[in-house]
Amino acid sequence: MRWISLTLLSLLLTWPNAIAQDEQEAPPSSAREVLSDLILENGEQEAVLEELSQYGDTIIEEVVAAWRIGKILIATPEGSETGVALINRDGALYEILTDAPYAGDPEATTKSRANRSLRKKLSRIVDVIELVSPDLDKRAEAALKLGSSQSPDYLPALKANLPKQKNTKTKEAFEEGLSISLLANGTTAEKISSLDGLTESPSIFARSFIEKLIKELDGDTSEDAQILRRKAEGALKAATAHEKKIEVYGTLFRGLSTGSVLLIVAYGLAITFGLMGIINMAHGEFIAIGGYTVFVVQSYFAERFGVGTAGYESYFLWAIPIAFLTAAFFGALLEIGVIRFLYKRPLESLLATWGVSMLIRQGLRMKFGSANVMVDAPQWLSGNVTVGDVTMPYARLFVIGFAVVVVFITWFILRRTKIGLHIRATMQNRTMASSLGIPAKRVNLFTFAFGCGLAGLAGAFLSQIGNVGPEMGQTYIVDSFMVVVIGGVGNLLGAAVSSMGIGMFDQGLQPVLGPVLGKVLVLIAIILFLQWRPGGLFPSRSRSLDD
């Protein structure tokens, strides 16, 4: 009972303070109320404008734009001493205060005209309205945009709103925008302080403004100019070093992303060619089957749920397993109808799968047309995240993550399951495996279908990066064979390592030499590597009597 009494006493003692705090933190007027007061000329104009500048509501921009073209009206209902501020939207009148349709007589209204001075002040408020936007990304973008304009009109707003920023990213954007603006509008001390800040926190965006300041200081021999020049050169040097570091990180990410795409594309080939010894020239077409499956699933979800709905946004999660199963199904048909009769006959299997690839391409053209089709990425894959000035698209990050999942699942199936044991035994020696009771035909069917299913998965992910067409897989087929051969035929770990190596090497050379020459040098490097290690990174060791 004692603790209950103490709790009640504490509540009684703090109750007056709680009431006072609630009174002090009463919510401010809305932007609509302030606009209504401004239009109806309620209150002092300067005070109303000052209050209006604290809102980030989009209604402010709409009302100011309407006011310029005479679409703001005032109505005074019968029996009322106060007017009602209205906005004309395509001939229909709405109350600004409540956003409800106006029920009064439209003829009993008068147009409100803002004088030139008021229009100028309102335009300035609209220009800086996003500095107080509830959307932090828009707020940061507005700070950089206004700062980069280097207009002295926006300097007070940047200074006033900087201390209010609690989010680290937004605060950094305000500091950067303010520093850029002060390079043109600040005093010598403010310019030095801004340059010191840009040296401590280098900015690629501010580099051109620093170079502009250095050019302006050319020929000025005063002491202040020399100090500013040294500071500016230091900030420029820091920005250049930061840019090079970002280029390195960006190249690493692009290399990892390209390697992940190659990994997903090549893993199916690593099974059909590396493990089974089948040169599947139709591998690119199975990639296209996966891409078109995503297109069909997207079209169904768009018709079933409507574009932009929550149901539609989940289409890609359904398309991933469907693309795998569809490609695996056609792969199983190919194995039963063609491949099963061509084991240990590489030339015939090459020619047969080449013919099948042409049939599949033509079938896709007849069904979907020869032109590429567009697959829209869901919203949760459309954006990007920026870490340390390195922009990373969500689609690429998803591919990297899923590549890890594919590697793990494939490893688990081959190394930790009974079917995986049968696959490894059958691929080493079919005759011996069959004599030991392993159903070699079913194992071959499952293995080939699984490899084609992985190709379908690759097509599903490639649909989020580029367009889908009958030829989409041909772009990657050569690179896929290179990945398998360099990693070591039949070695899945080697395929993973070689795909990342080729991706990094390719993306590292392209910014320096261009895409064409960079690709040529990659091919030359691969040829030289295979001259040195013909078996690849991890040469296969087999006890098969057929070797």
Side-chain angles (χ1 to χ4, degrees):
M1 293 296 294
R2 184 180 178 185
W3 67 270
I4 296 177
S5 302
L6 291 173
T7 303
L8 290 173
L9 179 61
S10 175
L11 287 172
L12 289 172
L13 291 173
T14 57
W15 182 259
N17 293 333
I19 295 174
Q21 185 176 4
D22 288 341
E23 291 175 353
Q24 291 172 0
E25 297 179 358
S29 303
S30 68
R32 293 181 179 277
E33 292 180 54
V34 178
L35 284 168
S36 294
D37 288 342
L38 185 63
I39 294 168
L40 300 173
E41 299 182 358
N42 295 333
E44 188 180 350
Q45 188 183 89
E46 291 298 328
V48 174
L49 288 172
E50 177 65 25
E51 185 176 358
L52 190 63
S53 65
Q54 305 303 314
Y55 294 96
D57 199 324
T58 55
I59 185 62
I60 299 174
E61 190 171 359
E62 182 186 5
V63 168
V64 171
W67 215 344
R68 289 173 180 166
I69 57 177
K71 289 195 173 184
I72 297 298
L73 303 95
I74 298 176
T76 306
E78 293 184 6
S80 175
E81 296 181 358
T82 59
V84 178
L86 308 173
I87 183 170
N88 185 339
R89 294 175 181 155
D90 298 326
L93 298 182
Y94 292 84
E95 296 183 17
I96 293 177
L97 183 61
T98 62
D99 202 32
Y102 180 59
D105 183 8
E107 300 297 328
T109 58
T110 57
K111 287 186 178 180
S112 174
R113 298 285 186 182
N115 58 48
R116 186 175 181 180
S117 174
L118 179 58
R119 286 200 304 270
K120 186 176 181 181
K121 292 174 181 177
L122 286 171
S123 296
R124 189 174 295 116
I125 290 175
V126 170
D127 289 340
V128 300
I129 188 174
E130 290 193 345
L131 290 179
V132 291
S133 171
D135 188 329
L136 296 181
D137 290 334
K138 286 186 177 180
R139 197 184 301 180
E141 185 180 348
L144 290 174
K145 179 181 177 181
L146 297 179
S148 62
S149 70
Q150 293 191 323
S151 171
D153 294 338
Y154 304 137
L155 195 56
L158 288 170
K159 287 182 176 179
N161 285 286
L162 174 58
K164 301 175 184 178
Q165 308 309 313
K166 305 300 181 185
N167 180 270
T168 303
K169 180 182 175 182
T170 309
K171 187 174 182 180
E172 289 175 353
F174 269 79
E175 289 173 347
E176 186 176 350
L178 180 59
S179 296
I180 292 172
S181 182
L182 287 174
L183 292 181
N185 306 305
T187 62
T188 300
E190 287 176 329
K191 290 180 180 179
I192 291 174
S193 176
S194 297
L195 290 169
D196 286 339
L198 292 173
T199 303
E200 293 176 5
S201 302
S203 167
I204 300 174
F205 183 73
R207 181 175 176 175
S208 59
F209 300 99
I210 299 172
E211 291 174 342
K212 178 183 175 183
L213 177 62
I214 292 175
K215 288 181 180 180
E216 292 174 353
L217 294 172
D218 287 343
D220 192 339
T221 58
S222 65
E223 184 179 354
D224 287 346
Q226 295 304 313
I227 294 173
L228 276 176
R229 187 178 185 86
R230 286 196 299 271
K231 294 285 186 179
E233 288 174 349
L236 183 61
K237 184 178 180 181
T240 303
H242 180 66
E243 185 175 16
K244 290 181 178 178
K245 183 173 69 173
I246 294 304
E247 286 178 358
V248 172
Y249 291 152
T251 300
L252 290 174
F253 173 73
R254 290 192 300 274
L256 185 62
S257 172
T258 303
S260 298
V261 172
L262 282 177
L263 173 61
I264 296 177
V265 171
Y267 236 47
L269 196 64
I271 291 175
T272 56
F273 173 57
L275 289 179
M276 301 184 70
I278 299 297
I279 304 175
N280 184 13
M281 297 302 294
H283 186 75
E285 281 60 45
F286 282 99
I287 293 173
I289 287 174
Y292 276 111
T293 301
V294 175
F295 173 71
V296 171
V297 173
Q298 176 198 262
S299 301
Y300 170 78
F301 273 67
E303 183 179 351
R304 176 71 174 79
F305 299 102
V307 177
T309 61
Y312 173 80
E313 289 298 317
S314 66
Y315 86 85
F316 189 61
L317 297 177
W318 290 93
I320 291 173
I322 295 174
F324 175 83
L325 294 174
T326 304
F329 172 75
F330 284 104
L333 292 181
L334 179 60
E335 199 279 337
I336 293 171
V338 179
I339 302 298
R340 179 167 295 181
F341 309 101
L342 299 176
Y343 289 116
K344 301 297 182 180
R345 298 164 65 184
L347 181 59
E348 287 88 339
S349 66
L350 185 149
L351 292 174
T353 54
W354 179 56
V356 170
S357 72
M358 290 191 291
L359 289 174
I360 294 175
R361 279 204 304 272
Q362 191 58 35
L364 292 174
R365 289 193 185 98
M366 292 173 64
K367 176 63 178 177
F368 299 100
S370 57
N372 291 346
V373 297
M374 187 68 182
V375 175
D376 296 325
Q379 289 296 321
W380 51 276
L381 280 180
S382 298
N384 55 66
V385 60
T386 302
V387 179
D389 289 340
V390 179
T391 300
M392 296 179 287
Y394 290 141
R396 294 278 181 175
L397 289 171
F398 190 73
V399 169
I400 292 172
F402 203 83
V404 175
V405 174
V406 167
V407 171
F408 175 77
I409 291 177
T410 306
W411 171 85
F412 183 82
I413 291 175
L414 292 178
R415 296 291 176 180
R416 291 290 184 269
T417 64
K418 185 177 180 180
I419 185 65
L421 180 62
H422 289 176
I423 289 172
R424 286 183 284 127
T426 305
M427 295 311 111
Q428 284 191 16
N429 192 313
R430 287 184 176 84
T431 306
M432 181 63 72
S434 297
S435 67
L436 293 175
I438 294 176
K441 286 187 177 181
R442 277 190 288 173
V443 170
N444 287 333
L445 175 62
F446 175 84
T447 307
F448 192 82
F450 183 69
C452 293
L454 289 179
L457 273 184
F461 288 108
L462 290 175
S463 71
Q464 303 300 303
I465 298 174
N467 291 330
V468 174
E471 308 283 344
M472 65 179 294
Q474 298 301 311
T475 308
Y476 296 92
I477 191 68
V478 175
D479 290 338
S480 300
F481 274 105
M482 289 193 302
V483 166
V484 175
V485 172
I486 292 173
V489 176
N491 193 299
L492 297 181
L493 175 61
V497 173
S498 64
S499 64
M500 294 302 165
I502 291 175
M504 294 290 185
F505 196 52
D506 181 62
Q507 291 300 314
L509 289 177
Q510 281 192 19
V512 180
L513 303 174
V516 177
L517 187 57
K519 179 67 73 176
V520 170
L521 286 181
V522 169
L523 291 173
I524 292 174
I526 289 172
I527 292 171
L528 294 176
F529 177 81
L530 291 176
Q531 288 291 325
W532 173 54
R533 290 181 67 91
L537 289 171
F538 302 96
S540 60
R541 296 179 177 86
S542 174
R543 293 178 292 179
S544 173
L545 297 175
D546 296 331
D547 291 345

